[in-house]
Amino acid sequence: MRLCVCFVLLSFIVCGSADLSAIPRAGRFALDAAGGAWDMFRAYWDMREANYKNADKYFHARGNYEAAQRGPGGAWAAKVISDARENWQSDVSGRGAEDTRADQEANAWGRSGGDPNRYRPSGLPSKY
């Protein structure tokens, strides 16, 4: 019984001195990451819907930009998704290293806060 009481008291001391502020930060990071993944999906969906020639770099930059605006979690999700997509694309689709390099440049530009309109082709409907 004494051991049990000592264990409970020790638990209160340890929990009381713990840095519990990390829990909300982790939750915020996870929510930002989920939102960033959604931003990336929405940009991809818009790119498919628009089906507009030479617009893929714009949608890469836009998806990364919107995801990164959510915070560190969104920027992390954008980087993971962009890197995975480009690795798959360069391995499977055979589009080539130059296209992958240009896509990654647009991804990094958007994630760093650059205006996605830098890559916007003329004539792309204003809906996008």
Side-chain angles (χ1 to χ4, degrees):
M1 180 70 169
R2 286 185 192 170
L3 182 61
C4 187
V5 171
C6 288
F7 181 72
V8 169
L9 289 176
L10 183 61
S11 296
F12 282 130
I13 292 169
V14 169
C15 288
S17 65
D19 179 18
L20 298 178
S21 65
I23 294 170
R25 282 194 312 253
R28 179 82 250 160
F29 186 90
L31 287 174
D32 289 348
W38 177 252
D39 292 333
M40 295 292 288
F41 173 76
R42 196 174 58 241
Y44 175 75
W45 188 261
D46 286 348
M47 180 177 71
R48 300 291 302 223
E49 180 183 301
N51 195 25
Y52 199 84
K53 189 173 182 169
N54 298 322
D56 67 324
K57 306 301 181 264
Y58 165 74
F59 288 107
H60 281 267
R62 193 192 89 186
N64 278 271
Y65 175 82
E66 290 173 353
Q69 293 304 302
R70 293 181 180 271
W76 174 81
K79 180 157 180 46
V80 168
I81 291 168
S82 295
D83 289 349
R85 183 181 185 281
E86 293 308 319
N87 286 336
W88 176 83
Q89 181 177 313
S90 66
D91 293 344
V92 176
S93 74
R95 291 196 178 161
E98 183 59 29
D99 185 60
T100 296
R101 187 204 56 75
D103 286 349
Q104 287 290 41
E105 179 184 305
N107 294 336
W109 175 262
R111 269 194 312 276
S112 70
D115 184 5
N117 288 317
R118 172 183 183 180
Y119 297 97
R120 185 182 189 88
S122 60
L124 181 67
S126 61
K127 173 183 176 182
Y128 307 108

